[in-house]
Amino acid sequence: MANKMTTFSRTKLNERTFDTVIYVYLTLITIVTLYPFLNVLAVSLNESVDTVKGGIHIWPREFTLDNYKEIFKYDNLVTGFINSTSRTIIGTILGVLSSAMVAYTLSRADFQGRKLFSTILVLTMYFSGGLIPGYMLIRDLGLINSYYVYIIPGIVNAFNIIIVRSFIDGLPYSLQESAKIDGANDFTIFWKIILPLCKPVLATVALFVAVGHWNSWFDTYLYNSMNEGLTTLQYELMKILQNTSMGSTDPDAMKGLSTEQLKSVVSPESIKMAISMVTIVPILIVYPFVQKYFVQGMTIGAVKS
């Protein structure tokens, strides 16, 4: 009896030790994950001149909203926000739908060109014509100074198609056979059977596509930089950061400035952190809605070839 009690006590002690190690580990992971975000937030809310001194961690030393006010002074920011939002919504819908359609076609065992087109699709992930041929193609398609340059080139993505196709390959093919016996055509099978079952992987792909569209600014720089009506939020924030970086925040250069003049100085570091927060917050708002699908979609869709 005593031996049983000793064994039981040891088992309980081992379980508690294991639980303690797990809790400590998860706590450390949480701190490591949250600290960079909290640091960016603190610097963005800290007075610019004080930021130059350094030493800010997770709480602003001199609280101010001037960094955000400085950003929103620019006239094209609203236009950029509207364009970025619209391209993200439209581009995500079309990108996810097209990826699902192509993936469904390539997943069909009765599709004769399945291996050939899959190989061509994979090759596009490793080889490309480069920046200049890409620009020439966009120019010849008449997409320069056009809103469609944000949407059309990114509709089909090889990586997203492979992820969705791998997920569809894991679904029982008997579901499609049963639907065919009941008289359903390919479009009905895709729309009413495949798409509802693919919600996890489609949510994952949607997040990838949305983040890509939201963070994109280089296509604006290449193709639409001369048209202010087609500017994007990221491009405008990049210009603000460049303009701010031209100003001097060297402590020696600021010694002769008055108190009022010092208050008007904006450091590139503070603006950079404020810009980071402006770009991160919309994605943070969207992410909780797709999180429940994200892990499942990546786990099931990425483990198969």
Side-chain angles (χ1 to χ4, degrees):
M1 184 69 178
N3 290 335
K4 290 183 179 180
M5 290 296 294
T6 303
T7 304
F8 180 76
S9 299
R10 288 177 180 177
T11 303
K12 280 291 185 180
L13 179 61
N14 291 335
E15 290 179 354
R16 290 176 181 176
T17 303
F18 180 77
D19 290 342
T20 302
V21 172
I22 292 298
Y23 286 137
V24 171
Y25 176 75
L26 292 177
T27 301
L28 291 175
I29 292 296
T30 303
I31 293 173
V32 171
T33 303
L34 288 178
Y35 177 78
F37 177 80
L38 295 177
N39 178 253
V40 170
L41 179 62
V43 174
S44 70
L45 292 173
N46 195 72
E47 198 266 327
S48 292
V49 177
D50 184 71
T51 299
V52 179
K53 302 176 184 177
I56 301 173
H57 300 290
I58 62 173
W59 194 260
R61 193 162 47 221
E62 298 288 342
F63 180 83
T64 182
L65 294 176
D66 290 344
N67 299 319
Y68 292 94
K69 292 178 181 178
E70 182 69 22
I71 293 175
F72 289 104
K73 284 180 181 177
Y74 290 78
D75 297 332
N76 291 333
L77 213 61
V78 175
T79 303
F81 179 82
I82 294 173
N83 288 333
S84 290
T85 303
S86 63
R87 72 171 288 183
T88 299
I89 295 174
I90 298 173
T92 300
I93 294 173
L94 294 179
V96 171
L97 185 60
S98 63
S99 295
M101 294 173 68
V102 177
Y104 170 66
T105 303
L106 295 178
S107 69
R108 294 288 299 268
D110 56 348
F111 177 51
Q112 297 297 326
R114 176 182 180 180
K115 291 186 178 179
L116 175 62
F117 283 101
S118 296
T119 302
I120 295 174
L121 199 66
V122 172
L123 288 176
T124 62
M125 297 174 60
Y126 298 97
F127 303 99
S128 66
L131 183 60
I132 296 176
Y135 181 87
M136 294 172 64
L137 174 63
I138 296 297
R139 181 197 61 191
D140 294 340
L141 291 174
L143 297 178
I144 302 294
N145 288 326
S146 170
Y147 180 82
Y148 297 108
V149 76
Y150 298 143
I151 307 298
I152 295 177
I155 287 181
V156 177
N157 183 279
F159 178 73
N160 295 336
I161 291 173
I162 292 173
I163 291 179
V164 180
R165 190 201 66 181
S166 298
F167 189 94
I168 295 176
D169 286 340
L171 299 176
Y173 190 70
S174 57
L175 294 174
Q176 300 183 38
E177 292 178 336
S178 300
K180 282 187 176 181
I181 294 175
D182 292 337
N185 56 29
D186 290 331
F187 181 80
T188 303
I189 294 173
F190 170 74
W191 194 259
K192 293 189 176 181
I193 297 178
I194 299 300
L195 279 187
L197 293 175
C198 287
K199 283 182 180 180
V201 73
L202 294 181
T204 303
V205 171
L207 184 62
F208 289 159
V209 177
V211 171
H213 275 287
W214 180 257
N215 289 334
S216 181
W217 65 270
F218 194 60
D219 49 4
T220 307
Y221 174 75
L222 285 178
Y223 310 123
N224 291 334
S225 58
M226 301 301 293
N227 191 335
E228 293 185 354
L230 294 175
T231 189
T232 56
L233 178 63
Q234 304 294 342
Y235 181 64
E236 290 300 319
L237 294 176
M238 184 273 296
K239 290 196 300 182
I240 295 173
L241 183 60
Q242 279 188 337
N243 294 335
T244 307
S245 300
M246 295 178 183
S248 174
T249 54
D250 181 26
D252 294 333
M254 294 188 294
K255 286 182 179 179
L257 299 179
S258 64
T259 304
E260 292 299 322
Q261 289 174 325
L262 284 173
K263 290 182 179 179
S264 64
V265 175
V266 179
S267 71
E269 186 70 15
S270 299
I271 289 296
K272 181 166 62 176
M273 297 307 178
I275 288 173
S276 298
M277 292 305 302
V278 170
T279 57
I280 289 173
V281 167
I283 298 299
L284 288 179
I285 294 174
V286 173
Y287 183 76
F289 295 98
V290 298
Q291 182 192 15
K292 61 181 180 180
Y293 301 111
F294 187 79
V295 175
Q296 182 182 356
M298 282 301 298
T299 301
I300 298 177
V303 296
K304 300 180 180 65
S305 60

